[in-house]
Structure formats: C-alpha cells, structure tokens
Amino acid sequence: MRRSTVAEPDGGSGRADSSAGHEAPPNEVATGAAADTGLPRPLDCGLRGLRPRCGAKTLFAGWTRFAERCHACGLDYAAFNVGDGPAAFLTLILGALVVIGAVTLELTLAPPLWVQLLIWAPVTLAGVVLSLRLAKGWLIALEYRNAAREGRLKQ
C-alpha cells in the first residue's frame, strides 16, 4: 500500500480548520445525502440557490456570482474555491450538444443560417448560465459539507 505525500491541511485530525474561512458542518456526511444534519441537499443549493450551512436564500449575488457572505449565518464564501472546473466541463458538454443539435437540424430540415443562429445562440447562452449556476452551487455545497481544503505537501 502506497502512502500519500499530501498532508491533510488540518494536520490529519479529520476536522476542518475554522481559520480557513469555513468550518466543517455538524455530522458531516460524505455521501452528499442530507441525513439528519438539517443541511440543505447539495443539489438544492444549486437548483434553488440555498446556502450550504443554513439553507437561507440566496447563495448568488448575480446570475453566477456568489454572494460575499451569508446574511443569516455569516458563512464567508471567499474561503471556498470552486474554480473554473465547472465552466470548462460544462462548456465542453454543452458545446457538443449544441453542435449535435445544429448538425442534426441542418441535415434534416436545412434551415437558413439565420434560423440556426436564432435557435442555437439563446439555447447556448441559457444552457451555460443555468448549468453553471447549478454546478457552482452544487460544488460549493459539497465543498462545505465535506470540509474540502487544498492539500499541502509534508515538510
């Protein structure tokens, strides 16, 4: 069995460091299920914009921008790092779906170019914004629930 060269950021205690900006939720559940913790489900955080600690609305200050902190419980969202992963992943998925749809439409009905643009530009924009909001909300909830932190190499 190989040992990892990455140290746990909390010193290996299994508990989150509250100085990192957010602490571990009570009775954390690694599966993402809300069990008896009273926390909102991660999917609900993405779909309805619920805050991961208290379940208050809204997690977002804009279409895809997080609020600075929770007005109800004071959770600081600056400590979370959702990053660009959701944007890159969703762009590839949605791009493939839009190209498949556009090619299929072109081969079956052969509409003019302006019809293609009229259909696929709003579909792409709506798909990116809505799925990005869902993915970012879901990932920040999982990051909070599992007390995810950056790994650090052992000295």
Side-chain angles (χ1 to χ4, degrees), residues 47-118:
L47 285 175
R48 301 187 318 172
L50 301 180
R51 300 186 180 213
R53 182 193 289 168
C54 63
K57 289 190 175 182
T58 171
L59 177 62
F60 297 95
W63 280 98
T64 60
R65 184 174 54 91
F66 291 122
E68 296 293 324
R69 65 179 46 248
C70 179
H71 63 280
C73 67
L75 182 62
D76 182 18
Y77 299 118
F80 293 96
N81 182 17
V82 174
D84 293 333
F89 191 63
L90 293 171
T91 299
L92 291 172
I93 292 172
L94 286 169
L97 293 175
V98 167
V99 167
I100 290 169
V103 168
T104 302
L105 184 63
E106 181 65 33
L107 294 176
T108 56
L109 301 176
L113 179 60
W114 66 270
V115 173
Q116 290 274 23
L117 291 174
L118 192 65

